[in-house]
Amino acid sequence: MRRVLIWRHGETEQNAAGIYQGQLDTSLSARGREQAATAAQLLAQRSPARLVASDLTRAATTAAALASASGLTVEPDRRLREIDVGRWQGLTHPEVRARFPELQAELEQGQDVRRGETGERVRDVARRMRAVFDEVVATQEQDSTVVLASHGLASRALVADVLGMDFTRLTQALVGLHNCHWAELVEHDIGWRLDAWNTGAPAATGR
């Protein structure tokens, strides 16, 4: 069987403050760096064969911790970036709700609207994330594990697409990935199956 681990980056100050980051290039907080180091030790025990990461600093730094622990080289790929949130970038959740009530209402109704008016839709993110996934799997050896280091919504969009699930239903059924936690997709005869969700090192808990 082949396994693909979809790993969310460690905590940033913006995560802790409830600020929309999108493709804002933020760094890990001290807590985030600790999370990455702890999770990397656990992931290294899985003997991953390849490590591909978003080129945004918070994901690249998280991946670098695993590279150090495993001897792998981080392969940057901008297609693994978080969703572009447009004009929401840098705003808090209450600010977004106050300034963009119509968009918020459409999202709550399950519509896949452009985030922040000028950003991406979930289907846009799923398309670019899936392209990376398919390219990686095309050359992946049997009985091997690959790690894709990415972001919260982007990771959920990929998992939903691979499983053939509606993104809204998946987010209603599964809580979002915590910082430095991962989803595990395993290939079976019938296709890919979600073997684990929100897995992480005990000391890497938190959102």
Side-chain angles (χ1 to χ4, degrees):
M1 294 185 294
R2 295 184 292 183
R3 297 175 183 271
V4 179
L5 306 182
I6 318 299
W7 187 26
R8 188 187 177 195
H9 62 80
E11 183 188 82
T12 66
E13 297 293 348
Q14 288 76 13
N15 286 147
I19 293 172
Y20 278 91
Q21 295 172 100
Q23 297 188 6
L24 184 67
D25 198 13
T26 56
S27 300
L28 296 182
S29 63
R31 176 179 171 81
R33 291 191 296 273
E34 291 176 2
Q35 290 173 334
T38 302
Q41 293 300 318
L42 189 60
L43 286 171
Q45 296 174 19
R46 305 289 299 273
S47 300
R50 191 174 176 188
L51 173 57
V52 187
S54 159
D55 64 339
L56 294 177
T57 300
R58 57 191 184 273
T61 303
T62 299
L66 177 55
S68 178
S70 66
L72 291 172
T73 298
V74 179
E75 302 174 44
D77 195 317
R78 63 180 293 115
R79 293 174 296 175
L80 293 179
R81 286 185 173 194
E82 180 61 292
I83 188 170
D84 182 344
V85 294
R87 296 192 176 99
W88 293 356
Q89 185 170 288
L91 300 179
T92 64
H93 294 286
E95 287 172 336
V96 166
R97 201 170 266 285
R99 298 185 195 182
F100 301 89
E102 297 85 2
L103 276 180
Q104 284 295 304
E106 291 172 348
L107 280 175
E108 290 170 4
Q109 293 166 8
Q111 298 183 45
D112 188 16
V113 299
R114 287 189 179 279
R115 270 53 174 178
E117 297 180 337
T118 60
E120 292 179 294
R121 299 180 177 92
V122 170
R123 62 176 174 267
D124 302 323
V125 181
R127 188 179 302 114
R128 58 177 167 80
M129 293 284 290
R130 184 60 186 270
V132 179
F133 180 90
D134 288 344
E135 289 171 16
V136 167
V137 168
T139 59
Q140 184 178 355
E141 296 183 358
Q142 292 297 324
D143 298 317
S144 67
T145 298
V146 168
V147 177
L148 304 181
S150 188
H151 306 264
L153 186 145
S155 295
R156 282 180 287 156
L158 174 59
V159 170
D161 192 76
V162 172
L163 298 179
M165 292 182 63
D166 176 77
F167 176 81
T168 300
R169 291 194 176 187
L170 181 137
T171 55
Q172 290 172 343
L174 298 174
V175 66
L177 283 176
H178 301 322
N179 285 118
C180 252
H181 283 54
W182 57 87
E184 183 168 350
L185 293 169
V186 182
E187 187 181 37
H188 293 267
D189 292 339
I190 60 172
W192 290 90
R193 186 176 353 187
L194 183 63
D195 198 53
W197 179 260
N198 248 333
T199 301
T205 56
R207 292 173 184 259

